[in-house]
């Protein structure tokens, strides 16, 4: 089972790899908003310009957080239904 730090590193690496083809690829995890739900690490993210400079024009809207399976290390993005569930439960 991965610990939080290992999962965070996997999530950051996955986000870096996936975002290379995006128009706004200068992104990073929002560490203070990351959480563990069951056996998954959930990592919300946004652009560095938004996070560091409050540049609303650079904010990514509608993005789904990275998730890491703590048992296998498999990474992906959460689904819309999962995002709705997390919001309903006040997790983000």
């Amino acid at each position: 089972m991965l610990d939080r730090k290992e999962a965070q590193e996997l999530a950051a690496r996955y986000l870096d790899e996936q975002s290379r083809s995006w128009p706004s690829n200068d992104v990073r995890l929002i560490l203070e908003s990351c959480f563990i739900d069951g056996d998954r690490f959930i990592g919300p993210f946004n652009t560095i310009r938004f996070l560091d400079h409050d540049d609303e024009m650079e904010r990514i809207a509608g993005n789904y957080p990275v998730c890491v399976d703590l048992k296998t290390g498999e990474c992906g993005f959460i689904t819309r239904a999962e995002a709705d569930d997390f919001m309903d439960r006040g997790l983000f």
Side-chain angles (χ1 to χ4, degrees):
M1 182 84 101
L2 298 171
D3 65 24
R4 184 182 178 99
K5 183 177 182 200
E6 292 168 321
Q8 181 180 307
E9 290 170 0
L10 284 173
R13 190 173 321 130
Y14 180 79
L15 181 60
D16 180 59
E17 291 168 3
Q18 295 298 308
S19 68
R20 289 180 186 166
S21 64
W22 300 350
S24 296
N25 65 355
D26 191 19
V27 295
R28 76 161 183 254
L29 294 174
I30 307 169
L31 298 180
E32 61 275 9
S33 297
C34 294
F35 61 94
I36 292 177
D37 183 60
D39 290 336
R40 298 189 312 158
F41 173 87
I42 309 299
F45 65 93
N46 218 304
T47 67
I48 292 171
R49 289 179 299 278
F50 170 69
L51 296 172
D52 289 352
H53 306 289
D54 277 336
D55 185 346
E56 284 291 332
M57 296 302 291
E58 297 295 329
R59 181 180 203 162
I60 301 173
N63 58 327
Y64 296 112
V66 175
C67 64
V68 179
D69 185 306
L70 296 175
K71 292 180 182 176
T72 66
E74 184 178 345
C75 299
F77 293 100
I78 67 169
T79 65
R80 168 78 186 221
E82 291 170 318
D84 289 344
D85 175 57
F86 291 142
M87 286 187 275
D88 288 346
R89 293 190 286 145
L91 296 173
F92 79 82

